Amino acid sequence: MTGAGELAARIGRLNTAYAHAIDDDRLEDWPGFFTDDGLYRIVTRENHEAALPLAIVHCAGAAMMRDRVRAMRTANIFEPHSYCHTLGAAEPTGGGDGVHAARTNFIVVRTMHSGAMSVFACGRYLDRIVERDGALKLAERVVVCDSRTIDTLLVVPL
């Protein structure tokens, strides 16, 4: 495997590790998938397509992501639940100057403490990825959710 195929496989492994960290409740690991100045945003498809700046979640930098996890663990009150990500194949969509762009579709199933399950979110990751010390890191992840209806229980990263 060379070129685009190798890059797609590496991005796929990054995405799998990312999803497993969230699904396994290792949220303290989540900021480590980003560069120190990485950007994480969750937006609706409608706002994304209209190029509207409003995000449902906006974290500028790994420090803000760590604060979000800390607040979730200590201050936020929410019904216990877990996620299970299903990911599509990563598709490199371009890049240059050491930055790779990629798109990956996802579905997140949420299981509540009661056992009730539902599709919580569906959409795509739009990423800018860089290599740091031989590892791929997210410089930016825009999570574009297909639905404009977002559950108020969006505390755990997607």
Short mmCIF file of all heavy atoms in Angstrom, two decimals, residues 7-8 10-12 14-15 33 35 90-92 94-104 125-132 135-141:
data_model
loop_
_atom_site.label_atom_id
_atom_site.label_comp_id
_atom_site.label_asym_id
_atom_site.label_seq_id
_atom_site.Cartn_x
_atom_site.Cartn_y
_atom_site.Cartn_z
N LEU A 7 -2.11 6.50 3.24
CA LEU A 7 -2.61 7.61 4.04
C LEU A 7 -4.02 7.33 4.54
O LEU A 7 -4.32 7.56 5.72
CB LEU A 7 -2.57 8.91 3.22
CG LEU A 7 -3.14 10.14 3.93
CD1 LEU A 7 -2.34 10.45 5.20
CD2 LEU A 7 -3.15 11.33 2.97
N ALA A 8 -4.88 6.82 3.67
CA ALA A 8 -6.25 6.50 4.08
C ALA A 8 -6.24 5.47 5.21
O ALA A 8 -7.01 5.57 6.17
CB ALA A 8 -7.06 5.99 2.89
N ARG A 10 -3.83 4.96 7.42
CA ARG A 10 -3.33 5.62 8.64
C ARG A 10 -4.41 6.50 9.27
O ARG A 10 -4.58 6.52 10.48
CB ARG A 10 -2.09 6.46 8.32
CG ARG A 10 -0.87 5.61 7.99
CD ARG A 10 0.35 6.46 7.73
NE ARG A 10 0.81 7.06 9.00
CZ ARG A 10 1.48 8.20 9.07
NH1 ARG A 10 1.78 8.87 7.97
NH2 ARG A 10 1.86 8.66 10.23
N ILE A 11 -5.16 7.22 8.44
CA ILE A 11 -6.25 8.04 8.95
C ILE A 11 -7.33 7.14 9.55
O ILE A 11 -7.90 7.46 10.60
CB ILE A 11 -6.82 8.96 7.85
CG1 ILE A 11 -5.76 9.98 7.42
CG2 ILE A 11 -8.10 9.65 8.32
CD1 ILE A 11 -6.13 10.77 6.18
N GLY A 12 -7.59 6.02 8.90
CA GLY A 12 -8.56 5.07 9.44
C GLY A 12 -8.15 4.57 10.82
O GLY A 12 -8.99 4.45 11.72
N LEU A 14 -6.24 6.20 12.95
CA LEU A 14 -6.42 7.34 13.85
C LEU A 14 -7.89 7.45 14.27
O LEU A 14 -8.21 7.59 15.46
CB LEU A 14 -5.97 8.64 13.15
CG LEU A 14 -6.30 9.95 13.86
CD1 LEU A 14 -5.50 10.10 15.14
CD2 LEU A 14 -6.06 11.13 12.92
N ASN A 15 -8.79 7.36 13.31
CA ASN A 15 -10.22 7.45 13.60
C ASN A 15 -10.70 6.31 14.50
O ASN A 15 -11.52 6.53 15.40
CB ASN A 15 -11.04 7.45 12.30
CG ASN A 15 -10.96 8.77 11.58
OD1 ASN A 15 -10.75 9.81 12.18
ND2 ASN A 15 -11.14 8.72 10.27
N PHE A 33 -5.57 13.36 20.72
CA PHE A 33 -5.69 13.10 19.29
C PHE A 33 -5.50 14.38 18.46
O PHE A 33 -5.41 14.33 17.25
CB PHE A 33 -7.04 12.46 18.96
CG PHE A 33 -7.15 11.06 19.48
CD1 PHE A 33 -7.76 10.79 20.70
CD2 PHE A 33 -6.61 10.00 18.76
CE1 PHE A 33 -7.84 9.50 21.18
CE2 PHE A 33 -6.68 8.70 19.24
CZ PHE A 33 -7.30 8.46 20.46
N THR A 35 -3.59 18.36 17.86
CA THR A 35 -2.43 19.20 18.13
C THR A 35 -2.78 20.11 19.30
O THR A 35 -3.97 20.28 19.62
CB THR A 35 -2.06 20.04 16.89
OG1 THR A 35 -3.18 20.88 16.55
CG2 THR A 35 -1.68 19.17 15.70
N ALA A 90 -12.09 6.19 5.70
CA ALA A 90 -11.51 7.54 5.60
C ALA A 90 -11.17 7.82 4.15
O ALA A 90 -10.59 6.98 3.46
CB ALA A 90 -10.27 7.64 6.47
N GLU A 91 -11.53 9.00 3.68
CA GLU A 91 -11.23 9.40 2.31
C GLU A 91 -10.36 10.66 2.32
O GLU A 91 -10.84 11.75 2.66
CB GLU A 91 -12.52 9.70 1.55
CG GLU A 91 -12.28 10.19 0.15
CD GLU A 91 -13.54 10.69 -0.54
OE1 GLU A 91 -14.60 10.76 0.09
OE2 GLU A 91 -13.42 11.02 -1.73
N PRO A 92 -9.07 10.51 2.00
CA PRO A 92 -8.25 11.72 1.87
C PRO A 92 -8.82 12.59 0.75
O PRO A 92 -9.17 12.09 -0.32
CB PRO A 92 -6.87 11.18 1.49
CG PRO A 92 -6.86 9.76 1.99
CD PRO A 92 -8.29 9.29 1.81
N GLY A 94 -7.42 15.78 -0.11
CA GLY A 94 -6.47 16.77 -0.59
C GLY A 94 -5.50 17.16 0.50
O GLY A 94 -5.39 16.50 1.53
N GLY A 95 -4.82 18.23 0.26
CA GLY A 95 -3.86 18.71 1.24
C GLY A 95 -2.64 19.29 0.57
O GLY A 95 -2.55 19.37 -0.65
N GLY A 96 -1.72 19.66 1.39
CA GLY A 96 -0.47 20.23 0.93
C GLY A 96 0.24 20.89 2.10
O GLY A 96 -0.37 21.13 3.15
N ASP A 97 1.52 21.15 1.94
CA ASP A 97 2.32 21.77 2.99
C ASP A 97 2.24 21.00 4.30
O ASP A 97 2.15 21.59 5.38
CB ASP A 97 1.90 23.23 3.20
CG ASP A 97 2.20 24.12 2.00
OD1 ASP A 97 3.20 23.84 1.30
OD2 ASP A 97 1.44 25.06 1.77
N GLY A 98 2.22 19.67 4.21
CA GLY A 98 2.21 18.84 5.41
C GLY A 98 0.88 18.70 6.10
O GLY A 98 0.79 18.13 7.19
N VAL A 99 -0.19 19.21 5.49
CA VAL A 99 -1.53 19.10 6.06
C VAL A 99 -2.38 18.26 5.11
O VAL A 99 -2.42 18.52 3.91
CB VAL A 99 -2.19 20.49 6.25
CG1 VAL A 99 -3.59 20.34 6.81
CG2 VAL A 99 -1.34 21.37 7.15
N HIS A 100 -3.02 17.24 5.66
CA HIS A 100 -3.90 16.37 4.87
C HIS A 100 -5.35 16.69 5.22
O HIS A 100 -5.68 16.91 6.38
CB HIS A 100 -3.64 14.90 5.19
CG HIS A 100 -2.21 14.50 5.06
ND1 HIS A 100 -1.57 14.38 3.85
CD2 HIS A 100 -1.28 14.22 6.01
CE1 HIS A 100 -0.32 14.03 4.05
NE2 HIS A 100 -0.11 13.93 5.35
N ALA A 101 -6.20 16.70 4.23
CA ALA A 101 -7.63 16.86 4.44
C ALA A 101 -8.28 15.49 4.25
O ALA A 101 -7.83 14.69 3.42
CB ALA A 101 -8.21 17.87 3.45
N ALA A 102 -9.30 15.22 5.04
CA ALA A 102 -9.99 13.93 4.93
C ALA A 102 -11.44 14.07 5.36
O ALA A 102 -11.80 14.96 6.13
CB ALA A 102 -9.29 12.88 5.80
N ARG A 103 -12.23 13.13 4.87
CA ARG A 103 -13.65 13.02 5.24
C ARG A 103 -13.90 11.58 5.66
O ARG A 103 -13.45 10.63 5.00
CB ARG A 103 -14.53 13.35 4.05
CG ARG A 103 -16.00 13.07 4.32
CD ARG A 103 -16.81 13.02 3.06
NE ARG A 103 -18.14 12.53 3.36
CZ ARG A 103 -19.25 13.01 2.84
NH1 ARG A 103 -19.20 13.99 1.97
NH2 ARG A 103 -20.42 12.50 3.18
N THR A 104 -14.65 11.43 6.75
CA THR A 104 -15.05 10.10 7.23
C THR A 104 -16.49 10.19 7.73
O THR A 104 -16.80 11.03 8.57
CB THR A 104 -14.15 9.64 8.39
OG1 THR A 104 -12.77 9.70 7.99
CG2 THR A 104 -14.49 8.21 8.81
N TYR A 125 -17.02 13.52 9.57
CA TYR A 125 -15.90 14.26 10.10
C TYR A 125 -15.18 14.90 8.92
O TYR A 125 -14.85 14.22 7.96
CB TYR A 125 -14.90 13.33 10.80
CG TYR A 125 -15.39 12.59 12.01
CD1 TYR A 125 -15.10 11.25 12.18
CD2 TYR A 125 -16.10 13.24 13.02
CE1 TYR A 125 -15.50 10.55 13.31
CE2 TYR A 125 -16.51 12.55 14.15
CZ TYR A 125 -16.21 11.22 14.29
OH TYR A 125 -16.61 10.54 15.42
N LEU A 126 -14.94 16.18 9.02
CA LEU A 126 -14.12 16.88 8.04
C LEU A 126 -12.85 17.30 8.78
O LEU A 126 -12.91 18.11 9.71
CB LEU A 126 -14.86 18.09 7.47
CG LEU A 126 -16.18 17.77 6.77
CD1 LEU A 126 -16.86 19.05 6.30
CD2 LEU A 126 -15.96 16.80 5.62
N ASP A 127 -11.75 16.71 8.39
CA ASP A 127 -10.51 16.84 9.17
C ASP A 127 -9.39 17.51 8.39
O ASP A 127 -9.28 17.34 7.17
CB ASP A 127 -10.01 15.45 9.60
CG ASP A 127 -10.98 14.73 10.49
OD1 ASP A 127 -11.68 15.39 11.28
OD2 ASP A 127 -11.03 13.49 10.42
N ARG A 128 -8.56 18.22 9.15
CA ARG A 128 -7.24 18.63 8.70
C ARG A 128 -6.28 17.93 9.64
O ARG A 128 -6.40 18.03 10.86
CB ARG A 128 -7.06 20.15 8.78
CG ARG A 128 -7.81 20.90 7.70
CD ARG A 128 -7.56 22.40 7.66
NE ARG A 128 -7.44 23.02 8.98
CZ ARG A 128 -6.29 23.46 9.53
NH1 ARG A 128 -5.15 23.34 8.87
NH2 ARG A 128 -6.29 24.02 10.72
N ILE A 129 -5.36 17.17 9.05
CA ILE A 129 -4.50 16.27 9.82
C ILE A 129 -3.04 16.60 9.51
O ILE A 129 -2.69 16.82 8.34
CB ILE A 129 -4.82 14.80 9.46
CG1 ILE A 129 -6.28 14.50 9.77
CG2 ILE A 129 -3.89 13.85 10.19
CD1 ILE A 129 -6.80 13.23 9.14
N VAL A 130 -2.22 16.58 10.56
CA VAL A 130 -0.79 16.81 10.38
C VAL A 130 -0.02 15.66 11.03
O VAL A 130 -0.58 14.90 11.82
CB VAL A 130 -0.35 18.15 11.02
CG1 VAL A 130 -1.02 19.32 10.31
CG2 VAL A 130 -0.63 18.19 12.50
N GLU A 131 1.24 15.55 10.66
CA GLU A 131 2.09 14.51 11.26
C GLU A 131 3.00 15.17 12.28
O GLU A 131 3.65 16.17 11.99
CB GLU A 131 2.91 13.80 10.19
CG GLU A 131 3.63 12.60 10.75
CD GLU A 131 3.90 11.53 9.71
OE1 GLU A 131 3.39 11.65 8.58
OE2 GLU A 131 4.61 10.58 10.04
N ARG A 132 3.02 14.61 13.49
CA ARG A 132 3.88 15.09 14.58
C ARG A 132 4.62 13.89 15.15
O ARG A 132 3.99 12.96 15.65
CB ARG A 132 3.07 15.76 15.70
CG ARG A 132 2.32 17.01 15.29
CD ARG A 132 3.28 18.20 15.17
NE ARG A 132 2.59 19.46 15.05
CZ ARG A 132 2.23 20.03 13.91
NH1 ARG A 132 2.48 19.41 12.78
NH2 ARG A 132 1.62 21.19 13.89
N ALA A 135 3.40 10.48 14.16
CA ALA A 135 1.99 10.15 14.41
C ALA A 135 1.09 11.20 13.78
O ALA A 135 1.45 12.38 13.71
CB ALA A 135 1.74 10.08 15.91
N LEU A 136 -0.07 10.76 13.31
CA LEU A 136 -1.04 11.71 12.78
C LEU A 136 -1.81 12.35 13.93
O LEU A 136 -2.19 11.67 14.89
CB LEU A 136 -2.02 11.00 11.84
CG LEU A 136 -1.43 10.43 10.55
CD1 LEU A 136 -2.53 9.77 9.72
CD2 LEU A 136 -0.72 11.50 9.75
N LYS A 137 -2.02 13.65 13.82
CA LYS A 137 -2.77 14.41 14.82
C LYS A 137 -3.80 15.27 14.10
O LYS A 137 -3.56 15.75 12.99
CB LYS A 137 -1.86 15.34 15.63
CG LYS A 137 -0.83 14.64 16.48
CD LYS A 137 -1.44 14.24 17.78
CE LYS A 137 -0.36 13.71 18.74
NZ LYS A 137 -0.89 13.50 20.06
N LEU A 138 -4.92 15.48 14.76
CA LEU A 138 -5.95 16.34 14.20
C LEU A 138 -5.61 17.81 14.48
O LEU A 138 -5.51 18.21 15.63
CB LEU A 138 -7.31 16.01 14.82
CG LEU A 138 -7.85 14.61 14.51
CD1 LEU A 138 -8.94 14.22 15.47
CD2 LEU A 138 -8.35 14.57 13.07
N ALA A 139 -5.44 18.57 13.42
CA ALA A 139 -5.28 20.02 13.57
C ALA A 139 -6.66 20.66 13.63
O ALA A 139 -6.85 21.71 14.24
CB ALA A 139 -4.48 20.59 12.40
N GLU A 140 -7.63 20.00 12.99
CA GLU A 140 -9.01 20.47 13.02
C GLU A 140 -9.93 19.30 12.74
O GLU A 140 -9.68 18.51 11.82
CB GLU A 140 -9.23 21.56 11.97
CG GLU A 140 -10.65 22.06 11.91
CD GLU A 140 -10.85 23.15 10.87
OE1 GLU A 140 -10.25 23.04 9.77
OE2 GLU A 140 -11.57 24.10 11.14
N ARG A 141 -10.99 19.20 13.52
CA ARG A 141 -12.06 18.24 13.24
C ARG A 141 -13.37 19.00 13.33
O ARG A 141 -13.73 19.53 14.38
CB ARG A 141 -12.07 17.08 14.23
CG ARG A 141 -13.34 16.22 14.09
CD ARG A 141 -13.18 14.83 14.62
NE ARG A 141 -12.50 14.04 13.57
CZ ARG A 141 -12.21 12.76 13.68
NH1 ARG A 141 -12.49 12.11 14.80
NH2 ARG A 141 -11.60 12.13 12.70
#
